[in-house]
Coordinates of all heavy atoms in Angstrom, one line a residue:
G294 N 26.8 7.7 -53.8 CA 27.3 7.9 -55.1 C 26.5 7.2 -56.2 O 26.3 5.9 -56.0
D295 N 26.0 7.9 -57.2 CA 25.3 7.1 -58.3 C 26.3 6.3 -59.1 O 25.9 5.1 -59.6 CB 24.7 8.2 -59.3 CG 23.5 8.8 -58.6 OD1 22.8 8.2 -57.8 OD2 23.2 10.0 -59.2
E296 N 27.6 6.6 -59.0 CA 28.5 5.8 -59.7 C 29.1 4.7 -59.1 O 29.9 4.0 -59.6 CB 29.6 6.8 -60.3 CG 30.7 7.1 -59.2 CD 30.3 8.1 -58.2 OE1 29.1 8.3 -57.8 OE2 31.2 8.8 -57.6
I297 N 28.7 4.4 -57.8 CA 29.3 3.4 -57.0 C 28.5 2.1 -57.0 O 27.2 2.3 -56.7 CB 29.4 3.8 -55.6 CG1 30.0 5.3 -55.5 CG2 30.1 3.0 -54.6 CD1 31.5 5.4 -56.1
V298 N 29.1 1.0 -57.2 CA 28.3 -0.3 -57.2 C 29.2 -1.3 -56.2 O 30.3 -1.0 -55.8 CB 28.2 -1.0 -58.5 CG1 27.2 -0.1 -59.4 CG2 29.6 -1.1 -59.2
E299 N 28.4 -2.4 -55.9 CA 29.1 -3.5 -55.1 C 30.3 -4.1 -56.0 O 29.9 -4.2 -57.2 CB 28.2 -4.6 -54.6 CG 27.2 -4.0 -53.5 CD 28.0 -3.8 -52.2 OE1 29.0 -4.5 -52.1 OE2 27.5 -3.1 -51.4
P300 N 31.3 -4.6 -55.4 CA 32.4 -5.1 -56.2 C 31.9 -6.3 -57.2 O 32.5 -6.3 -58.4 CB 33.3 -5.7 -55.2 CG 33.0 -5.1 -53.9 CD 31.6 -4.6 -54.1
Q302 N 29.2 -6.4 -58.8 CA 28.3 -5.8 -59.7 C 29.0 -4.9 -60.8 O 28.4 -4.2 -61.7 CB 27.2 -4.8 -59.1 CG 26.4 -5.5 -58.1 CD 25.5 -6.7 -58.5 OE1 24.9 -6.5 -59.6 NE2 25.6 -7.9 -58.0
L303 N 30.3 -4.9 -60.9 CA 31.1 -4.2 -61.8 C 30.9 -4.7 -63.3 O 31.0 -5.8 -63.5 CB 32.6 -4.3 -61.5 CG 33.3 -3.4 -60.4 CD1 34.7 -3.7 -60.3 CD2 33.0 -2.0 -60.8
T304 N 30.5 -3.8 -64.1 CA 30.5 -4.1 -65.5 C 31.3 -3.1 -66.3 O 32.2 -2.4 -65.6 CB 28.8 -3.9 -66.0 OG1 28.5 -2.6 -65.6 CG2 27.9 -4.9 -65.3
D305 N 31.2 -3.0 -67.8 CA 32.1 -2.1 -68.3 C 31.4 -0.8 -68.6 O 31.7 -0.1 -69.6 CB 32.7 -2.8 -69.6 CG 31.5 -3.3 -70.4 OD1 30.3 -3.0 -70.2 OD2 31.9 -3.9 -71.6
D306 N 30.4 -0.4 -67.8 CA 29.8 1.0 -68.0 C 30.5 2.1 -67.3 O 29.9 3.2 -67.2 CB 28.3 0.8 -67.5 CG 28.1 0.6 -66.1 OD1 29.2 0.4 -65.4 OD2 27.0 0.6 -65.7
G307 N 31.7 1.9 -66.8 CA 32.3 2.9 -66.1 C 32.2 3.1 -64.6 O 32.7 4.0 -64.0
R308 N 31.3 2.4 -64.2 CA 31.0 2.5 -62.7 C 32.1 1.9 -61.9 O 32.9 1.1 -62.4 CB 29.7 1.9 -62.3 CG 28.5 2.5 -63.1 CD 27.3 2.7 -62.3 NE 26.3 1.8 -62.7 CZ 25.0 1.8 -62.2 NH1 24.9 2.6 -61.0 NH2 24.1 1.1 -62.7
I309 N 32.2 2.3 -60.6 CA 33.3 1.8 -59.9 C 32.9 1.3 -58.5 O 31.8 1.4 -58.1 CB 34.3 3.0 -59.5 CG1 33.6 4.2 -58.7 CG2 35.0 3.6 -60.7 CD1 34.6 5.1 -58.1
A310 N 33.6 0.3 -58.1 CA 33.3 -0.6 -56.9 C 33.5 0.3 -55.6 O 34.3 1.2 -55.5 CB 34.1 -1.8 -56.8
S311 N 32.6 0.0 -54.7 CA 32.7 0.7 -53.5 C 33.9 0.3 -52.5 O 33.7 -0.4 -51.5 CB 31.4 0.6 -52.6 OG 31.5 1.4 -51.5
I333 N 25.1 1.1 -50.2 CA 25.4 2.3 -51.0 C 24.1 3.1 -51.3 O 23.1 2.5 -51.7 CB 26.0 1.7 -52.4 CG1 27.2 1.0 -52.3 CG2 26.2 3.1 -53.2 CD1 27.6 0.3 -53.5
P335 N 22.2 5.9 -53.4 CA 22.5 6.9 -54.7 C 22.3 8.3 -54.2 O 22.0 8.6 -53.2 CB 21.2 6.4 -55.6 CG 20.3 5.7 -54.7 CD 21.0 5.2 -53.5

Side-chain angles (χ1 to χ4, degrees):
D295 287 339
E296 78 282 30
I297 309 300
V298 294
E299 286 293 336
Q302 303 297 311
L303 275 178
T304 53
D305 55 6
D306 64 356
R308 300 222 247 177
I309 59 171
S311 184
I333 303 161

